Amino acid sequence: MNAPATKLPVVVIGAGPSGLAAAAHLIDQGIEPLVLEAGRSAGASVREWSHVRLFSPWGEVVDPAAEKLLAPTGWTRPDPATYPSGGDWAELYLQPLADVLGDRVRTGATVTGVSRTGRDRIVDADREQQPFVVHVAHTDGREERLFARAVIDASGTWTTPSPAGGSGLPALGEKAAADRVTYRVPDLRDPAVRARYAGRRTAVIGSGASAFTALAHLADLAESDDGAGTKGVWILRRGISGSTFGGGTADQLPARGALGLAAKAAVDAGHADAVTGFRTEAVERDTDGRLILVGEDGRRLDAVDEVIVLTGFRPDLSFLDELRLGLDERLQAPVALAPLIDPNQHSCGTVYPHGHRELSHPEQGVYLVGMKSYGRAPTFLAMTGYEQVRSVAAAIAGDLDAADRVELTLPETGVCGGAGLFDAPDAQEGDGGGCCAPAPQLVQLGAPAVAGAAAEEAPTGGCCGS
């Protein structure tokens, strides 16, 4: 490999929102990108939750550089105040952007390894002068070796969901129960999927926006003509507090607040029971083949027909093993970024806008961006990824003034959880800022009315990823 590094492209891993935005910003800087997407089309991961509506409106999920690139084609952004579904986002924005990028985007191309040319992670000599080498496996069986001046990993975390087990490991029996366990919000518009959950008892494990979405969807099914008998069992590692259902009307992203209120309405209406302080240790089958969740404290819950595990995601770092990454030992996020997003420390969900400096590693020229940059931390917003890649592209181009400039103001979440582990079962509940109820229990919340229009008309999902 003898070509000067500056003549090589920047390889972008992943053709999701952050990856395609990175390509647009690189082009804006006069740098050639090459986007490698493992899926069959741009936005492949987003398409897998096409039925879920974002809690961010169109005005916050279109990258400015991407819009500039799309403008000559006659593309116009949908109404900035309306909320796209994942399918809308993919079809009306991500795919047109990929089309404009043309041959710069290669689909069906899985990155299997990244290193420095001729240097494994041990070798120091002339390391930074060597271009990156990227190994790629194609769907037709071909393998390819590509070279790059820099690598931007925007592959996200969608393909590596966290398990049900409370210790971060799969619960005993979880893999054996795979036929009745899913790690995605089910698409109840699909007749086959709808039949799987209609009239059944379903456990939903998790406490974030995805769990809210699943609970709201199951409640809608329970109230439909074909869903009589549908029941949710909401499994929380923490307790019920003022922050359990998110920020509500205090959230500057109104749809995100309304999503939590919709989940609360599902519980208040009796469509779901909440089991608090429960850390799953095992998944067993009864004589009828139904699933019994067993907690670390020995409790055995009543049998359920299905389990929806929505406990977050984690990054796949396996193909970056030959690079010298600086990652936080807890979050698996870049060391300088981790303190800004660590849920063990932050009482509220705001994250200071950040860029190339917080995303850098000992291996110069490699960046983890988008959802991948957050490691195991939650509450990522698309606009955060767009600001990241704007800064990174400027840094790669050598324009540090632009790279260091902050060009983003994030909305307040309205969600405070107090310092410390949010899921600590024995934490005391505060006045809206506390984490948990003091004792594990099965509860049905009371029935104060939730504004029907807000619950019914607001978007029902909140996935923003890379």
mmCIF file of all heavy atoms in Angstrom, residues 348-371:
data_model
loop_
_atom_site.group_PDB
_atom_site.id
_atom_site.type_symbol
_atom_site.label_atom_id
_atom_site.label_comp_id
_atom_site.label_asym_id
_atom_site.label_seq_id
_atom_site.Cartn_x
_atom_site.Cartn_y
_atom_site.Cartn_z
ATOM 1 N N CYS A 348 -29.788 14.182 35.583
ATOM 2 C CA CYS A 348 -30.705 14.504 34.489
ATOM 3 C C CYS A 348 -30.094 14.054 33.181
ATOM 4 O O CYS A 348 -28.897 13.832 33.079
ATOM 5 C CB CYS A 348 -31.015 15.996 34.439
ATOM 6 S SG CYS A 348 -31.931 16.575 35.879
ATOM 7 N N GLY A 349 -30.925 13.953 32.156
ATOM 8 C CA GLY A 349 -30.492 13.348 30.905
ATOM 9 C C GLY A 349 -29.825 14.267 29.924
ATOM 10 O O GLY A 349 -29.559 13.859 28.806
ATOM 11 N N THR A 350 -29.556 15.526 30.263
ATOM 12 C CA THR A 350 -28.915 16.415 29.309
ATOM 13 C C THR A 350 -27.453 16.018 29.154
ATOM 14 O O THR A 350 -26.789 15.592 30.088
ATOM 15 C CB THR A 350 -28.990 17.876 29.785
ATOM 16 O OG1 THR A 350 -28.510 17.951 31.119
ATOM 17 C CG2 THR A 350 -30.410 18.395 29.745
ATOM 18 N N VAL A 351 -26.937 16.167 27.955
ATOM 19 C CA VAL A 351 -25.544 15.877 27.658
ATOM 20 C C VAL A 351 -24.962 17.099 26.962
ATOM 21 O O VAL A 351 -25.519 17.581 25.985
ATOM 22 C CB VAL A 351 -25.409 14.639 26.748
ATOM 23 C CG1 VAL A 351 -23.948 14.405 26.393
ATOM 24 C CG2 VAL A 351 -25.995 13.409 27.428
ATOM 25 N N TYR A 352 -23.848 17.586 27.482
ATOM 26 C CA TYR A 352 -23.207 18.736 26.858
ATOM 27 C C TYR A 352 -22.781 18.355 25.439
ATOM 28 O O TYR A 352 -22.194 17.299 25.225
ATOM 29 C CB TYR A 352 -21.988 19.154 27.685
ATOM 30 C CG TYR A 352 -21.342 20.426 27.200
ATOM 31 C CD1 TYR A 352 -21.830 21.664 27.599
ATOM 32 C CD2 TYR A 352 -20.258 20.391 26.323
ATOM 33 C CE1 TYR A 352 -21.244 22.837 27.151
ATOM 34 C CE2 TYR A 352 -19.680 21.551 25.868
ATOM 35 C CZ TYR A 352 -20.171 22.774 26.289
ATOM 36 O OH TYR A 352 -19.595 23.928 25.839
ATOM 37 N N PRO A 353 -23.081 19.189 24.447
ATOM 38 C CA PRO A 353 -22.665 18.885 23.071
ATOM 39 C C PRO A 353 -21.152 18.644 23.006
ATOM 40 O O PRO A 353 -20.371 19.345 23.657
ATOM 41 C CB PRO A 353 -23.079 20.139 22.297
ATOM 42 C CG PRO A 353 -24.206 20.699 23.085
ATOM 43 C CD PRO A 353 -23.863 20.436 24.523
ATOM 44 N N HIS A 354 -20.767 17.679 22.247
ATOM 45 C CA HIS A 354 -19.370 17.270 22.231
ATOM 46 C C HIS A 354 -18.957 16.910 20.812
ATOM 47 O O HIS A 354 -19.797 16.774 19.928
ATOM 48 C CB HIS A 354 -19.170 16.075 23.170
ATOM 49 C CG HIS A 354 -20.119 14.945 22.879
ATOM 50 N ND1 HIS A 354 -21.394 14.902 23.397
ATOM 51 C CD2 HIS A 354 -19.992 13.846 22.100
ATOM 52 C CE1 HIS A 354 -22.011 13.816 22.953
ATOM 53 N NE2 HIS A 354 -21.179 13.162 22.166
ATOM 54 N N GLY A 355 -17.650 16.763 20.620
ATOM 55 C CA GLY A 355 -17.151 16.506 19.275
ATOM 56 C C GLY A 355 -15.905 15.658 19.266
ATOM 57 O O GLY A 355 -15.740 14.747 20.078
ATOM 58 N N HIS A 356 -14.988 16.013 18.372
ATOM 59 C CA HIS A 356 -13.861 15.126 18.077
ATOM 60 C C HIS A 356 -12.964 14.894 19.278
ATOM 61 O O HIS A 356 -12.402 13.800 19.432
ATOM 62 C CB HIS A 356 -13.052 15.709 16.913
ATOM 63 C CG HIS A 356 -12.236 16.918 17.282
ATOM 64 N ND1 HIS A 356 -10.864 16.889 17.388
ATOM 65 C CD2 HIS A 356 -12.618 18.187 17.591
ATOM 66 C CE1 HIS A 356 -10.423 18.094 17.723
ATOM 67 N NE2 HIS A 356 -11.456 18.898 17.845
ATOM 68 N N ARG A 357 -12.811 15.870 20.155
ATOM 69 C CA ARG A 357 -11.897 15.693 21.284
ATOM 70 C C ARG A 357 -12.432 14.644 22.258
ATOM 71 O O ARG A 357 -11.677 13.803 22.764
ATOM 72 C CB ARG A 357 -11.650 17.022 21.984
ATOM 73 C CG ARG A 357 -10.924 18.030 21.082
ATOM 74 C CD ARG A 357 -10.405 19.224 21.836
ATOM 75 N NE ARG A 357 -9.856 20.214 20.914
ATOM 76 C CZ ARG A 357 -8.621 20.169 20.401
ATOM 77 N NH1 ARG A 357 -7.819 19.170 20.737
ATOM 78 N NH2 ARG A 357 -8.199 21.109 19.578
ATOM 79 N N GLU A 358 -13.709 14.692 22.541
ATOM 80 C CA GLU A 358 -14.314 13.697 23.441
ATOM 81 C C GLU A 358 -14.400 12.321 22.784
ATOM 82 O O GLU A 358 -14.527 11.311 23.478
ATOM 83 C CB GLU A 358 -15.710 14.141 23.873
ATOM 84 C CG GLU A 358 -15.726 15.339 24.789
ATOM 85 C CD GLU A 358 -15.673 16.669 24.048
ATOM 86 O OE1 GLU A 358 -15.605 16.666 22.792
ATOM 87 O OE2 GLU A 358 -15.720 17.722 24.707
ATOM 88 N N LEU A 359 -14.348 12.284 21.462
ATOM 89 C CA LEU A 359 -14.510 11.025 20.730
ATOM 90 C C LEU A 359 -13.179 10.426 20.277
ATOM 91 O O LEU A 359 -13.169 9.371 19.635
ATOM 92 C CB LEU A 359 -15.401 11.253 19.496
ATOM 93 C CG LEU A 359 -16.824 11.734 19.800
ATOM 94 C CD1 LEU A 359 -17.526 12.155 18.517
ATOM 95 C CD2 LEU A 359 -17.627 10.661 20.507
ATOM 96 N N SER A 360 -12.068 11.075 20.598
ATOM 97 C CA SER A 360 -10.781 10.596 20.117
ATOM 98 C C SER A 360 -10.283 9.418 20.946
ATOM 99 O O SER A 360 -10.768 9.151 22.050
ATOM 100 C CB SER A 360 -9.754 11.730 20.157
ATOM 101 O OG SER A 360 -9.549 12.159 21.494
ATOM 102 N N HIS A 361 -9.304 8.722 20.394
ATOM 103 C CA HIS A 361 -8.718 7.536 21.020
ATOM 104 C C HIS A 361 -7.202 7.612 20.924
ATOM 105 O O HIS A 361 -6.665 8.406 20.142
ATOM 106 C CB HIS A 361 -9.218 6.271 20.319
ATOM 107 C CG HIS A 361 -10.679 6.040 20.480
ATOM 108 N ND1 HIS A 361 -11.222 5.392 21.564
ATOM 109 C CD2 HIS A 361 -11.731 6.395 19.697
ATOM 110 C CE1 HIS A 361 -12.538 5.348 21.449
ATOM 111 N NE2 HIS A 361 -12.870 5.952 20.324
ATOM 112 N N PRO A 362 -6.491 6.784 21.680
ATOM 113 C CA PRO A 362 -5.040 6.717 21.499
ATOM 114 C C PRO A 362 -4.656 6.423 20.044
ATOM 115 O O PRO A 362 -3.620 6.892 19.572
ATOM 116 C CB PRO A 362 -4.625 5.574 22.436
ATOM 117 C CG PRO A 362 -5.669 5.586 23.510
ATOM 118 C CD PRO A 362 -6.947 5.950 22.810
ATOM 119 N N GLU A 363 -5.474 5.652 19.358
ATOM 120 C CA GLU A 363 -5.267 5.392 17.925
ATOM 121 C C GLU A 363 -5.816 6.584 17.149
ATOM 122 O O GLU A 363 -7.027 6.728 16.938
ATOM 123 C CB GLU A 363 -6.011 4.121 17.507
ATOM 124 C CG GLU A 363 -5.642 3.605 16.133
ATOM 125 C CD GLU A 363 -4.354 2.813 16.167
ATOM 126 O OE1 GLU A 363 -4.350 1.698 16.719
ATOM 127 O OE2 GLU A 363 -3.346 3.320 15.632
ATOM 128 N N GLN A 364 -4.941 7.476 16.725
ATOM 129 C CA GLN A 364 -5.385 8.683 16.043
ATOM 130 C C GLN A 364 -6.036 8.343 14.707
ATOM 131 O O GLN A 364 -5.561 7.479 13.971
ATOM 132 C CB GLN A 364 -4.202 9.630 15.821
ATOM 133 C CG GLN A 364 -3.627 10.179 17.117
ATOM 134 C CD GLN A 364 -2.518 11.186 16.870
ATOM 135 O OE1 GLN A 364 -2.426 11.765 15.793
ATOM 136 N NE2 GLN A 364 -1.674 11.391 17.875
ATOM 137 N N GLY A 365 -7.137 9.042 14.419
ATOM 138 C CA GLY A 365 -7.792 8.849 13.127
ATOM 139 C C GLY A 365 -8.948 7.877 13.162
ATOM 140 O O GLY A 365 -9.565 7.628 12.124
ATOM 141 N N VAL A 366 -9.269 7.320 14.336
ATOM 142 C CA VAL A 366 -10.424 6.435 14.449
ATOM 143 C C VAL A 366 -11.414 7.062 15.423
ATOM 144 O O VAL A 366 -11.035 7.592 16.474
ATOM 145 C CB VAL A 366 -10.017 5.014 14.901
ATOM 146 C CG1 VAL A 366 -9.358 5.029 16.265
ATOM 147 C CG2 VAL A 366 -11.215 4.085 14.898
ATOM 148 N N TYR A 367 -12.689 7.044 15.062
ATOM 149 C CA TYR A 367 -13.738 7.654 15.876
ATOM 150 C C TYR A 367 -14.943 6.728 15.939
ATOM 151 O O TYR A 367 -15.372 6.188 14.916
ATOM 152 C CB TYR A 367 -14.184 8.998 15.275
ATOM 153 C CG TYR A 367 -13.083 10.012 15.144
ATOM 154 C CD1 TYR A 367 -12.342 10.111 13.960
ATOM 155 C CD2 TYR A 367 -12.771 10.881 16.189
ATOM 156 C CE1 TYR A 367 -11.325 11.043 13.827
ATOM 157 C CE2 TYR A 367 -11.759 11.824 16.066
ATOM 158 C CZ TYR A 367 -11.038 11.899 14.881
ATOM 159 O OH TYR A 367 -10.033 12.833 14.752
ATOM 160 N N LEU A 368 -15.486 6.555 17.123
ATOM 161 C CA LEU A 368 -16.783 5.908 17.304
ATOM 162 C C LEU A 368 -17.811 7.013 17.459
ATOM 163 O O LEU A 368 -17.671 7.880 18.321
ATOM 164 C CB LEU A 368 -16.777 5.012 18.545
ATOM 165 C CG LEU A 368 -16.222 3.597 18.404
ATOM 166 C CD1 LEU A 368 -14.767 3.630 17.936
ATOM 167 C CD2 LEU A 368 -16.322 2.853 19.730
ATOM 168 N N VAL A 369 -18.837 7.017 16.616
ATOM 169 C CA VAL A 369 -19.820 8.094 16.630
ATOM 170 C C VAL A 369 -21.232 7.510 16.683
ATOM 171 O O VAL A 369 -21.431 6.309 16.547
ATOM 172 C CB VAL A 369 -19.680 9.005 15.386
ATOM 173 C CG1 VAL A 369 -18.284 9.600 15.294
ATOM 174 C CG2 VAL A 369 -20.019 8.240 14.104
ATOM 175 N N GLY A 370 -22.209 8.396 16.848
ATOM 176 C CA GLY A 370 -23.588 7.948 16.893
ATOM 177 C C GLY A 370 -23.840 7.101 18.128
ATOM 178 O O GLY A 370 -23.172 7.222 19.153
ATOM 179 N N MET A 371 -24.810 6.216 18.035
ATOM 180 C CA MET A 371 -25.169 5.374 19.164
ATOM 181 C C MET A 371 -23.977 4.538 19.639
ATOM 182 O O MET A 371 -23.833 4.251 20.824
ATOM 183 C CB MET A 371 -26.331 4.464 18.764
ATOM 184 C CG MET A 371 -26.994 3.773 19.929
ATOM 185 S SD MET A 371 -27.894 4.928 20.983
ATOM 186 C CE MET A 371 -27.994 3.986 22.493
#
